[in-house]
Amino acid sequence: MKNELTEKIKELTRQVRLPGVRKYLTEEINEANLKNLPYEDFLYHLLLKEYDLRLESGKKNRIRLADFPYRKYLEDLSVSDLPMDAQKRLKVLKSLDFIAQGQNVILAGSPGTGKTHLAIALGIKACLSGYKVLFVTVPLLINQLKESRSDRSLMRMEGKFEKYDLVIADELGYISFDREGSELLFTHLSLRAGRKSTIITTNLSFDRWEEIFSDAVMTAAMIDRLTHKSYLLNMGRNSYWLKKARDYYLNFQNP
């Protein structure tokens, strides 16, 4: 009779979507019987398992929905190999206070200096901390914006874009774009300015941004909005990944 009732309870948990209760029900019943726990203690521990499972599931879902191209964690970073500017700012960035304050982070430097790795690592930590994150390359974002304008769904996309706590816009400057793309990107990023955080990685210094926006006024306005109360990190010119590969090779040669 008890087993039959347990199965009925599990079936109800499927209907009301309580996977943690279903998963740990038998275990908690046995534990309660063994220790002669009060009903309140039994229920509390069972619901706590449900809560913990949902927290863990939420973290995994946020990381999945962020659409990172790969997973890198702050623990994977070799801090001593990062440019000095990044080393100095890493502690404050790891706190994620910039997200709570709606501040931007701009990582500027040559290819291979660890910009994307650092951006993804901060993004994953944000996901684990309960923030809603989106990773997108700038060329892909512009294509999506153009498509949304064509099928008249631009406003819906803008509304969705505004709701992310953190957007990582990768690879600004790797390719140039036309005036339509420039205007759409400017408008889209401006929606978040001063309210929600954006991390931008770029291989171009600010004095060269006009090369991709093709409009001096728009470039100046974009830089002004993105850099207001932002963290600007000079990621340098020396390749972070080349240094890591060289260290690996030397260690391999001299075990």
Side-chain angles (χ1 to χ4, degrees), residues 69-70 72 107 113-121 135 168 170-171 174 201 235 241:
Y70 49 84
K72 290 292 184 181
L107 307 174
T113 52
K115 301 185 300 297
T116 301
H117 183 156
L118 179 55
I120 290 175
F135 179 97
I168 299 173
D170 195 35
E171 298 182 354
Y174 284 85
T201 73
M235 297 297 288
W241 300 115

Side-chain angles (χ1 to χ4, degrees), residues 6-53:
T6 299
E7 290 305 313
K8 287 182 178 180
I9 294 173
K10 288 183 177 180
E11 181 56 36
L12 286 173
T13 63
R14 289 188 182 92
Q15 298 298 323
V16 297
R17 298 180 181 179
L18 294 172
V21 172
R22 182 168 64 256
K23 181 177 180 180
Y24 295 105
L25 178 62
T26 301
E27 176 186 320
E28 289 299 321
I29 289 175
N30 293 336
E31 183 77 6
N33 287 333
L34 182 64
K35 296 182 178 179
N36 196 27
L37 295 177
Y39 294 126
E40 294 89 344
D41 285 7
F42 161 73
L43 183 58
Y44 171 76
H45 287 107
L46 185 58
L47 292 178
L48 188 61
K49 291 289 182 66
E50 176 69 37
Y51 176 76
D52 290 342
L53 188 66

